[in-house]
Amino acid sequence: MNRRNFLIQGSTALAGLFVAQSPLRVYADSQEIQKLPPLPYAYDALEPHIDKRTMEIHHRKHHQGYVNKLNAAIRHNHDVGHMPLEAMLRGIEKVPMNVRQAIINSGGGHANHTLFWSIMKPGGSEPMGKVAESIQLTFGSFDAGSEMFDKLAKTHFGSGWVWLVVDENKKLQIYATSNQDSPLMKGHTPILGVDVWEHAYYLKYQNRRADYIDAWGKVINWEQVNANYLAAMK
Ligand code: MN3
């Protein structure tokens, strides 16, 4: 047994001991296993494109809600309770059936929103780096890739997301998923995504999803998308 294995097994044993001795603390309602990450900018920082009120409700209520429901689902499940979120979603076929759908919905919601906040920034940015080159090579031109993404985002039926992912062959793909289904469950790594649930835009844009998608395009953090791309290609 190498040192790393010893540490993992040691910490699992400790966790078991802790559960046995302190059930009240472990099962308390206030226990947080997964946590809501803070926004990397102020709630009003994406104005006028994405309004402050939408950002507050989206982050504090919707995203927090996914985190709470995920914690409620995994709290009593020691098979998955201590796994990193990404590992849970990538290994979703091995997750016990009694918590699988909760992890698809709430774990997906947590992962999707965590990425979403990080790929936006005040003032937006110009497409750059290897990811811009790769979009050009994959879809014929940067504009062709961009149009494909926008069209899907503007026409996807019902709630969901549109993604730019690195697939299992290290190729870029653009596609939509419904509800909170994460590309991680297909073995893909999402590097850019847009939330097309009505809660992402209804307060400011009402039924005008296309206006929201155009506005969102003005706050993309391409530096982060490029960093995500480089990490996924390793
Ligand atoms: Mn959302």
Side-chain angles (χ1 to χ4, degrees):
M1 183 163 59
N2 63 29
R3 180 169 163 78
R4 182 176 156 76
N5 278 339
F6 174 77
L7 286 174
I8 289 168
Q9 290 180 10
S11 69
T12 306
L14 274 178
L17 197 65
F18 186 68
V19 170
Q21 291 185 343
S22 314
L24 287 177
R25 177 150 178 214
V26 168
Y27 296 135
D29 284 344
S30 62
Q31 190 205 14
E32 285 185 320
I33 302 169
Q34 297 286 335
K35 288 186 166 62
L36 181 70
L39 278 189
Y41 36 74
Y43 285 112
D44 64 357
L46 305 178
E47 293 266 12
H49 308 294
I50 313 288
D51 62 292
K52 180 184 179 186
R53 187 85 182 114
T54 295
M55 288 298 291
E56 283 176 340
I57 295 173
H58 202 173
H59 182 254
R60 287 184 186 152
K61 304 294 183 187
H62 290 278
H63 190 173
Q64 182 73 64
Y66 294 119
V67 171
N68 293 349
K69 284 181 185 158
L70 176 62
N71 282 332
I74 63 180
R75 189 171 295 152
H76 300 287
N77 198 309
H78 297 287
D79 293 335
V80 292
H82 295 93
M83 286 172 75
L85 178 60
E86 184 170 335
M88 274 187 235
L89 291 166
R90 285 192 187 273
I92 196 69
E93 297 301 330
K94 293 178 207 135
V95 166
M97 285 305 288
N98 64 328
V99 288
R100 190 178 296 176
Q101 195 59 47
I103 289 174
I104 291 170
N105 295 346
S106 302
H110 181 24
N112 295 343
H113 287 88
T114 299
L115 176 71
F116 188 53
W117 311 133
S118 76
I119 54 82
M120 297 189 284
K121 69 177 250 186
S125 57
E126 289 298 317
M128 51 90 70
K130 290 283 180 197
V131 72
E133 284 174 29
S134 188
I135 290 170
Q136 185 184 345
L137 287 170
T138 306
F139 302 103
S141 68
F142 185 88
D143 287 349
S146 182
E147 278 167 29
M148 184 181 170
F149 189 101
D150 279 15
K151 190 175 177 190
L152 275 175
K154 290 173 182 177
T155 59
H156 177 73
F157 183 74
S159 296
W161 291 76
V162 175
W163 302 103
L164 176 65
V165 306
V166 174
D167 72 14
E168 67 276 30
N169 299 313
K170 303 287 186 191
K171 300 289 184 197
L172 288 177
Q173 287 192 39
I174 292 170
Y175 56 78
T177 59
S178 289
N179 305 316
Q180 293 294 353
D181 288 3
S182 165
L184 294 167
M185 296 193 299
K186 300 173 186 250
H188 297 171
T189 303
I191 60 170
L192 172 71
V194 66
D195 188 343
V196 301
W197 284 57
E198 282 187 344
H199 69 229
Y201 60 89
Y202 204 84
L203 288 178
K204 183 176 172 80
Y205 296 99
Q206 293 85 46
N207 60 321
R208 292 172 285 117
R209 190 199 286 176
D211 291 353
Y212 156 68
I213 297 300
D214 290 340
W216 172 79
K218 294 171 185 157
V219 294
I220 297 174
N221 183 346
W222 281 104
E223 201 171 320
Q224 184 62 51
V225 177
N226 189 52
N228 294 343
Y229 175 73
L230 296 176
M233 293 299 284
K234 272 185 186 158

